[in-house]
Amino acid sequence: MAYNCLLLDADDTLVSFKDCERQALTKVLEKYNISATEENITNYHNINEALWQDLEKGKIKKHLIGKIRFQKFCESDDADAKNAEKMNRDYLAFLKEEAVLIDGALEFLADVEDYATIAIVTNGIEAVQMNRLKISGIADFADGIYTSEKVGATKPNKQIFLAALKDLGVENTSKVLVVGDRLQSDIKGGINAGLDTCWVNFDNQENNTNIKPKYTVQDYTQLKNIILEGLEDVIANKGKVQL
């Protein structure tokens, strides 16, 4: 089955958020004279990840993440917590300029752009994500970019996906594939919207949840094969699948 509309996550699906986070955080810690040790970087990552998981579960509002994460980090590191808000602002400014692509991401987009509508659907902060998608080159392939702030709904809420499809003018949802690395937001959200889903499991993690994606892939080649399955004749003729 070929898919002619892709709703793609950004971070850790196309862009290596782990690398971007590390680079931006290192700059923040150095600015505030805190050692950018592996322990400190891991500590911040775990605090931030837990907060984003709470967001996906509906336990916290997104605007509170920035307020809380550096507060918790400073308290755990015996740093001056009065700088927490300034550290978060600096972190976002640094992160806005970080766009480390996952190897093969642009090549994958180039391979499928002639055969499918491509949209980015992300929970990330809009001002940060828009700039990162632009400087990474991903925006050049996107027919639409939908952030949770822009739409007013956060994955796994189905409304962010349905709003994207409405804006794109896509009516045949059987040809839509939601692609992302997070089971609790991307895959659960796609399922909530009644769409086919593909979990990009680049790190070969175990799925210890009850969330069952239709597909699981370990690399872009596998993903491309799923999207373009059965389109050999179309590809040979350089045609474009119609919505």
Side-chain angles (χ1 to χ4, degrees):
M1 175 179 185
Y3 292 92
N4 60 24
C5 180
L6 309 177
L7 302 183
L8 299 170
D9 177 51
D11 286 322
D12 291 326
T13 298
L14 298 170
V15 179
S16 175
F17 184 76
K18 299 178 186 71
D19 290 335
C20 296
E21 177 188 64
R22 173 179 290 271
Q23 293 178 11
L25 180 60
T26 296
K27 293 175 182 177
V28 171
L29 297 182
E30 290 175 347
K31 180 173 180 177
Y32 290 87
N33 298 313
I34 300 172
S35 297
T37 62
E38 193 65 33
E39 180 181 1
N40 279 337
I41 291 172
T42 299
N43 182 29
Y44 169 83
H45 173 81
N46 291 339
I47 291 169
N48 189 52
E49 176 65 18
L51 290 169
W52 280 96
Q53 288 180 9
D54 284 346
L55 174 72
E56 293 166 0
K57 296 173 184 176
K59 295 181 178 180
I60 191 174
K61 298 295 185 181
K62 188 165 72 172
H63 73 275
L64 292 176
I65 292 177
K67 182 177 181 179
I68 295 173
R69 58 187 172 191
F70 279 100
Q71 182 80 28
K72 285 178 172 286
F73 172 80
C74 289
E75 291 171 353
S76 66
D77 194 58
D78 293 326
D80 194 342
K82 73 179 183 182
N83 290 322
E85 289 190 21
K86 291 190 292 183
M87 290 174 72
N88 187 66
R89 287 196 297 269
D90 288 336
Y91 171 75
L92 293 178
F94 289 134
L95 184 63
K96 187 177 180 180
E97 302 302 322
E98 300 291 347
V100 182
L101 286 160
I102 296 174
D103 288 344
L106 292 186
E107 291 81 359
F108 158 72
L109 293 173
D111 286 343
V112 301
E113 69 166 336
D114 285 340
Y115 312 103
T117 297
I118 296 173
I120 305 299
V121 181
T122 173
N123 279 348
I125 296 171
E126 181 163 5
V128 174
Q129 293 297 73
M130 294 300 289
N131 197 65
R132 295 172 69 228
L133 292 170
K134 180 180 178 180
I135 63 179
S136 68
I138 291 171
D140 294 337
F141 294 94
D143 297 293
I145 298 173
Y146 304 92
T147 67
S148 56
E149 291 172 47
K150 177 181 178 181
V151 174
T154 300
K155 295 183 287 186
N157 189 318
K158 67 180 181 180
Q159 293 304 324
I160 191 170
F161 299 101
L162 299 181
L165 295 179
K166 182 177 180 180
D167 185 67
L168 293 166
V170 175
E171 297 180 356
N172 183 4
T173 58
S174 69
K175 294 289 188 177
V176 176
L177 184 66
V178 174
V179 181
D181 70 296
R182 296 183 73 92
L183 290 164
Q184 292 286 354
S185 56
D186 303 314
I187 305 307
K188 185 177 180 179
I191 293 171
N192 288 343
L195 305 170
D196 285 355
T197 59
C198 181
W199 181 33
V200 289
N201 186 15
F202 294 151
D203 296 329
N204 293 312
Q205 302 175 46
E206 288 189 28
N207 182 355
N208 296 316
T209 74
N210 61 358
I211 300 168
K212 304 299 181 185
K214 182 168 184 176
Y215 308 101
T216 298
V217 298
Q218 281 75 45
D219 56 49
Y220 289 124
T221 298
Q222 294 176 0
L223 178 57
K224 183 176 71 172
N225 289 341
I226 289 169
I227 294 166
L228 301 181
E229 182 182 4
L231 292 184
E232 292 84 356
D233 292 339
V234 176
I235 294 171
N237 294 320
K238 300 294 183 181
K240 178 146 184 172
V241 178
Q242 298 298 313
L243 294 177

